[in-house]
Amino acid sequence: MPIVERSLVEVDRTEALELEGIDVSGDWNTFLRSRVVQDLDLKVADWVKGQPQGETISRCWQCGTCTAGCCLHTDFGLEEFNPRYFIYLAQIGYEEELRRYAQTVWRCVSCNKCVERCPKGVKVEEVIHTIGSYLTLTGAAPESPADRFDRAYTENLLRRGVLDEPDLFRTYERLEGRRTPAGELLRMGLKLLGSGRLHTGPLAHRTRGWRRMGAVLREALTEDERRRREGLAPSPPPPGGPP
Ligand code: SF4
Ligand code: SF4
């Protein structure tokens, strides 16, 4: 487990000490202060295991191969992004500590190197995203722009069964609470028209028989959302925010 709390590290410093003419002053011992964590709660692990994308979490034996190969952790030097540690915190139910990484977990770029390397067949990338969903659903992390785009995209697709780019753009803008200037919209519209991708209003495509299919998909998504939220209670706000 990496030392993420400097306050827990106790350095035994020996000042001005000379032994047989050799200066041996300095830091000789490093200790971790003892602490007692009392609020472990296995509901995180249970919830993650109960999701189709998170069920492999219990196979993890904490070897750290995923973190050693993770491009964010190694190539981009984002030390706090540590998939092994996120899994560990979820496994032992240390939710308070896990919530400190509520934003960080979403930085996973889904390269799947961790999945390729894991000797225990843990679907690390899926597990990390499931842990992220848990944190978002319990209110530990605010909804990200990517989440809002996801919502706009799904809503747009459900309407007609095909994507309507201008409509997707409008929905996303509404969710983000921003407005693109009219001149820029016109420029973009003309570009889309020129590339034959302006399928909106009277030009809109529609998948045949979509009304029934769309209703089935909507019902399935609603049921999935209901199931995911089952047994989840909102968390109190994180004490110190992200690390
Ligand atoms: S490589 Fe697999 S088993 Fe090893 S720590 Fe990562 S998830 Fe766990
Ligand atoms: S999928 Fe995510 S966790 Fe896995 S190696 Fe890539 S960035 Fe790291």
Side-chain angles (χ1 to χ4, degrees), residues 59-66 84 87 118-120 122 124:
R59 290 191 208 159
C60 173
W61 61 4
Q62 289 291 299
C63 66
T65 309
C66 51
R84 180 205 61 77
I87 290 175
C118 175
K120 294 286 285 175
V122 180
V124 190

Side-chain angles (χ1 to χ4, degrees), residues 105-230:
V105 290
W106 286 115
R107 300 187 72 172
C108 167
V109 294
S110 298
C111 66
N112 275 292
K113 273 168 78 179
C114 49
V115 181
E116 291 297 320
R117 294 175 179 202
C118 175
K120 294 286 285 175
V122 180
K123 294 184 177 158
V124 190
E125 183 261 356
E126 292 185 0
V127 170
I128 296 301
H129 281 97
T130 309
I131 292 173
S133 293
Y134 175 87
L135 293 167
T136 304
L137 288 171
T138 53
E143 193 182 42
S144 68
D147 293 329
R148 284 191 284 277
F149 183 80
D150 204 35
R151 262 204 295 146
Y153 190 94
T154 309
E155 194 46 50
N156 187 270
L157 213 55
L158 283 175
R159 272 202 279 274
R160 274 195 294 261
V162 286
L163 209 55
D164 177 343
E165 278 96 345
D167 191 36
L168 169 64
F169 186 76
R170 277 194 301 270
T171 311
Y172 181 60
E173 282 222 308
R174 180 169 48 76
L175 294 179
E176 283 293 329
R178 69 173 192 213
R179 244 188 132 81
T180 304
E184 203 175 315
L185 274 180
L186 186 66
R187 259 196 313 280
M188 281 175 10
L190 289 173
K191 255 187 164 175
L192 281 171
L193 194 63
S195 62
R197 295 176 66 86
L198 193 65
H199 306 300
T200 194
L203 300 172
H205 290 161
R206 184 181 286 274
T207 302
R208 193 174 299 163
W210 183 251
R211 190 189 289 266
R212 282 172 58 201
M213 187 62 188
V216 171
L217 275 181
R218 222 175 254 282
E219 202 179 314
L221 287 174
T222 308
E223 173 57 19
D224 183 54
E225 182 69 8
R226 188 198 61 72
R227 197 180 48 74
R228 275 157 37 98
R229 288 184 181 274
E230 227 167 43

